[in-house]
């Protein structure tokens, strides 16, 4: 029986930080965050769609209390829009954090590693 060399598998899977493949913009309404993400290159769009599903984005924002993520695909623009509920800890007027609008939260998403 052959054993699989996990270090060889790890080397075979290359990862790239999302910010090298796409840019993002964030907005808010109440306790709901909106992150629009657009691939720099059209050929990377399908990869981003397969790597960034609703479950992965929800897990990324879970520590902030996110309860739901909806993803809307924009294939003709090479982008997608994530709507994340309950992530702003009460919203602009209710949050005690420094970024009640969530403008910097797009950088959290852009730090994700994408398998290539």
């Amino acid at each position: 029986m052959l054993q699989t060399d996990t270090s060889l598998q790890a080397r075979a899977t290359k990862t790239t930080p999302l910010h090298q493949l796409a840019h993002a913009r964030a907005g808010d309404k109440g306790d709901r965050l909106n992150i629009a993400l657009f691939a720099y290159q059209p050929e990377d769009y399908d990869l981003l769609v397969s790597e960034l599903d609703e479950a992965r984005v929800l897990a990324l924002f879970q520590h902030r209390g996110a309860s739901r993520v909806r993803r809307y695909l924009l294939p003709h623009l090479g982008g997608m829009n994530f709507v994340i509920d309950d992530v702003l800890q009460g919203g602009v007027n209710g949050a005690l954090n420094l970024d009640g609008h969530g403008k910097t939260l797009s950088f959290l998403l852009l730090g994700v590693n994408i398998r290539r």
Side-chain angles (χ1 to χ4, degrees), residues 21-53:
L21 303 173
H23 60 96
R25 184 86 176 150
D28 65 272
K29 196 60 151 180
D31 200 9
R32 181 173 287 151
L33 177 65
N34 176 75
I35 300 178
L37 181 79
F38 297 94
Y40 289 127
Q41 303 298 324
E43 58 270 15
D44 291 330
Y45 176 71
D46 289 335
L47 172 66
L48 298 182
V49 169
S50 68
E51 284 283 310
L52 297 169
D53 60 8

Side-chain angles (χ1 to χ4, degrees), residues 32 54 68-72 81-85:
R32 181 173 287 151
E54 293 171 343
R68 179 178 174 193
V69 172
R70 283 164 289 166
R71 181 180 74 169
Y72 300 94
N81 187 35
F82 294 98
V83 178
I84 308 167
D85 292 336

Side-chain angles (χ1 to χ4, degrees), residues 95-108:
L96 297 176
N97 62 50
L98 296 175
D99 184 18
H101 290 281
K103 299 294 184 191
T104 61
L105 290 177
S106 62
F107 291 100
L108 181 60

Side-chain angles (χ1 to χ4, degrees), residues 2-13:
L2 293 173
Q3 290 186 326
T4 304
D5 182 357
T6 56
S7 62
L8 181 62
Q9 287 179 338
R11 286 187 299 231
T13 302

Side-chain angles (χ1 to χ4, degrees), residues 10-27:
R11 286 187 299 231
T13 302
K14 180 183 176 191
T15 62
T16 302
L18 178 57
H19 66 82
Q20 291 183 0
L21 303 173
H23 60 96
R25 184 86 176 150

